[in-house]
Amino acid sequence: MFNIKALSEWKNEEVEGLFIGLYEGEKNSSGILEEIDAALSGNLKQMLKDNRFNGKAKEIFTFHTLGQLKAKKVYVVGVGKKSEANDEQLRSVFASLSKALHADHLQNAAIILDSFENGEEDFEQLSYLLSEAIELTSYKVADYKEKDNQVEKHLEGVTLFTNEEEQSLLEELQAGKVYGSGTNLARALVNTPGNLMTPTDLAKTAKEIAELHGMEIDILEREDMEKLGMGALLAVAQGTEQPPKMIVLKYQGKKEWNDVLAFVGKGLTFDSGGISIKPSLNMHEMKMDMGGAAAVLGAMEIIGQMKPEANVLAVIPSSENLVNGLAMKPGDVITSLSGKTIEVRNTDAEGRLILADGVTYAKHLGADYIVDVATLTGAVIIALGEYTTGAVTNNEELMEKLLYSAYESGEWVWRLPSFEPYRKMLKTSDVADLNNSPGRPGGSITAGLFVGEFAGDTPWVHLDIAGTAWTSKGTETGPKGGTGAMARTLANLAEQFE
């Protein structure tokens, strides 16, 4: 898809669109803008002036060359102030560039990479950010409407013009594409309707990833869970005819199976709330309650392609939470795989139940570090909105690694407190070891700490993506719906374990 050519060759490229960056207040973009303007008889700069285009971030001006250049159109992309051009700003700028590229249905394009250089970012990072943005913005939510006969055009090739060394840039371009495609996989899983994304369907996707990348896979059925005593997952699964699955993927990048990083993803493929039923308004969006599982599978897809020298375990407890005559009831007491008993005060607090068995099983399989990912609480949306993932941890070192990975991936994570009074709230049942829903105050904290009870002393981080896994409106890099949140952060974390 990508190829690299010397900067001086830009005039010879026959493409549908030529993109050049312009920093705010700059006039020549390393001299290339002057060359383009000269080839266009001075019309480009005059048009920029007439339209008061000054390079503000994410603004794009399009100019038809009318045969004066081999490129059919020139796109001048505002990059903003050079002093503010960090990763976050460049991600936004490249997302705008990529959206324009896809919106105009370009099949081939060229980009003057050097025009986006600011003296701080290296060209490898620029290449990665650009490629990732092109991939992320290419995603469209699948629909099931009747199709017309119009031929769809897709981007086939992008040429980058730069004087930098080719091979290192190509590696970063490929990495950006891989990270973007893994995120898009997670988005697609989240956006799939609940009748088409059951625990069985989720297991099928995991199997496809495993077979494609040579990973070991094991899928536990209901009978296996009963033999092992996975009472928490089985209690949630009582209320549905769909069989539950405990999905396990193993990626072994080291000779010995040690120093194992485990990802545990909540795989609730549809959540009605059970007997503690949710309001009907917007319940159709609860197909997204397997966003944690989607993030884990997206990360495993990335890991399978990047092949880090690390050992990664993925554990996905999966079920539906519906209502039938066997569904668990408020007041029920269940016994988890760990042996801890749980009083069910709220059947809509089911995610922490299936994660309890998922985390315990990850420990049985040799996990040395655990990160669980879940669309766990509405409380985290009240606290942090749709923009930031909430985190709870028992280990400073692992938390710092994850925060660094999130920063590198352009995903925001905020650590929540885990002081002792919050832990005591979990022990307020008169009949069981734990209360699955001790009340609204500190709800996202107590939910995370509930899962942490099953991690024990194993270094552990909990990520609540209830706000970030789904967006009610389109973002810079994608449409409304599933976001693929945390897929890139998890994959980046795995690469830190090399």
Side-chain angles (χ1 to χ4, degrees):
M1 179 179 182
F2 292 100
N3 66 89
I4 296 174
K5 292 186 178 180
L7 186 60
S8 59
E9 295 183 34
W10 70 267
K11 296 178 183 178
N12 304 319
E13 195 75 8
E14 293 187 12
V15 288
E16 294 173 328
L18 174 66
F19 292 79
I20 180 169
L22 181 66
Y23 278 95
E24 188 172 348
E26 300 279 325
K27 294 183 179 180
N28 58 19
S29 289
S30 304
I32 301 298
L33 189 64
E34 298 283 352
E35 295 180 36
I36 296 174
D37 185 58
L40 296 172
S41 305
N43 290 322
L44 179 57
K45 280 198 168 184
Q46 186 60 48
M47 290 290 289
L48 291 175
K49 183 178 180 181
D50 291 345
N51 286 272
R52 298 182 180 180
F53 185 93
N54 194 36
K56 290 184 179 179
K58 301 187 285 184
E59 290 185 346
I60 297 180
F61 179 79
T62 306
F63 187 88
H64 290 268
T65 65
L66 302 176
Q68 292 178 286
L69 290 177
K70 290 190 175 181
K72 293 180 180 179
K73 293 167 70 175
V74 172
Y75 295 74
V76 184
V77 182
V79 193
K81 294 179 180 179
K82 185 169 283 191
S83 61
E84 299 175 357
N86 55 21
D87 278 9
E88 191 168 327
Q89 179 173 314
L90 288 167
R91 271 194 169 93
S92 296
V93 169
F94 286 143
S96 298
L97 180 160
S98 303
K99 276 185 168 180
L101 188 156
H102 295 304
D104 287 353
H105 305 289
L106 302 187
Q107 292 180 279
N108 52 75
I111 299 169
I112 310 291
L113 185 62
D114 290 34
S115 64
F116 294 91
E117 192 272 330
N118 68 343
E120 298 292 333
E121 299 287 346
D122 57 46
F123 281 86
E124 286 81 3
Q125 182 69 352
L126 286 176
S127 300
Y128 174 89
L129 294 173
L130 174 62
S131 175
E132 181 188 66
I134 290 174
E135 188 67 23
L136 289 174
T137 54
S138 71
Y139 175 75
K140 294 181 180 179
V141 178
D143 65 52
Y144 306 89
K145 299 178 181 180
E146 186 177 357
K147 305 301 180 184
D148 57 33
N149 294 322
Q150 185 176 352
V151 177
E152 289 192 15
K153 293 182 179 181
H154 300 283
L155 183 65
E156 296 176 358
V158 177
T159 300
L160 299 188
F161 290 107
T162 179
N163 287 326
E164 294 299 304
E165 193 271 322
E166 179 177 350
Q167 187 56 42
S168 62
L169 298 191
L170 287 174
E171 290 173 0
E172 291 302 317
L173 288 166
Q174 177 60 21
K177 189 176 189 304
V178 167
Y179 269 75
S181 64
T183 304
N184 287 345
L185 170 63
R187 289 170 166 179
L189 293 173
V190 170
N191 286 325
T192 302
N195 64 319
L196 303 177
M197 184 52 61
T198 64
T200 300
D201 295 310
L202 198 62
K204 181 181 177 182
T205 299
K207 186 176 180 181
E208 290 170 352
I209 292 171
E211 291 177 348
L212 181 62
H213 301 298
M215 299 178 187
E216 183 180 335
I217 185 164
D218 188 23
I219 300 172
L220 303 189
E221 304 293 344
R222 190 189 299 270
E223 295 77 14
D224 304 310
M225 299 175 204
E226 289 171 347
K227 290 178 183 177
L228 291 169
M230 293 183 176
L233 174 55
L234 288 169
V236 176
Q238 288 173 196
T240 173
E241 297 299 313
Q242 289 290 341
K245 307 286 181 182
M246 180 67 85
I247 304 164
V248 178
L249 281 166
K250 289 184 180 180
Y251 168 84
Q252 186 166 345
K254 299 179 180 180
K255 289 183 179 180
E256 302 294 330
W257 185 248
N258 53 31
D259 202 30
V260 177
L261 172 64
F263 299 142
V264 181
K266 174 186 171 184
L268 235 295
T269 58
F270 191 84
D271 181 19
S272 72
I275 286 179
S276 307
I277 197 163
K278 296 178 181 290
S280 59
L281 182 65
N282 294 327
M283 192 195 286
H284 66 283
E285 293 183 352
M286 293 315 297
K287 63 184 180 180
M288 53 78 71
D289 212 21
M290 38 66 69
V296 169
L297 290 178
M300 295 305 286
E301 170 64 23
I302 296 168
I303 290 165
Q305 293 192 60
M306 298 300 295
K307 294 183 169 39
E309 293 183 9
N311 291 330
V312 184
L313 173 70
V315 176
I316 298 172
S318 184
S319 176
E320 294 178 330
N321 187 27
L322 300 181
V323 186
N324 62 17
L326 297 175
M328 64 177 178
K329 306 171 293 297
D332 284 0
V333 174
I334 59 180
T335 303
S336 67
L337 175 61
S338 71
K340 293 180 185 290
T341 56
I342 305 163
E343 181 183 6
V344 180
R345 292 281 184 90
N346 184 344
T347 67
D348 194 24
E350 84 299 325
R352 64 201 74 179
L353 299 180
I354 69 173
L355 286 171
D357 282 351
V359 167
T360 303
Y361 196 52
K363 290 177 66 176
H364 285 342
L365 296 175
D368 297 298
Y369 309 88
I370 298 173
V371 179
D372 80 82
V373 196
T375 50
L376 205 61
T377 66
V380 81
I381 305 176
I382 302 302
L384 302 175
E386 293 186 348
Y387 315 109
T388 305
T389 292
V392 180
T393 189
N394 67 1
N395 186 273
E396 294 294 331
E397 184 178 355
L398 182 60
M399 186 74 237
E400 287 301 317
K401 283 187 174 183
L402 187 133
L403 288 172
Y404 177 79
S405 297
Y407 172 79
E408 286 287 293
S409 303
E411 298 189 290
W412 297 339
V413 174
W414 190 261
R415 180 177 176 176
L416 299 168
S418 57
F419 303 123
E420 189 60 28
Y422 296 111
R423 299 177 188 276
K424 288 182 178 179
M425 292 172 69
L426 302 173
K427 310 293 178 63
T428 52
S429 170
D430 296 327
V431 294
D433 297 319
L434 297 170
N435 172 357
N436 87 317
S437 183
R440 295 183 66 185
S444 55
I445 299 170
T446 56
L449 290 175
F450 180 95
V451 180
E453 286 289 315
F454 300 87
D457 295 330
T458 303
W460 157 82
V461 173
H462 160 72
L463 297 173
D464 192 337
I465 60 171
T468 54
W470 183 270
T471 179
S472 56
K473 57 184 179 180
T475 66
E476 290 182 332
T477 57
K480 67 179 182 179
T483 64
M486 292 295 111
R488 285 171 289 159
T489 292
L490 295 180
N492 189 294
L493 181 62
E495 293 203 72
Q496 285 198 59
F497 274 74
E498 288 190 293

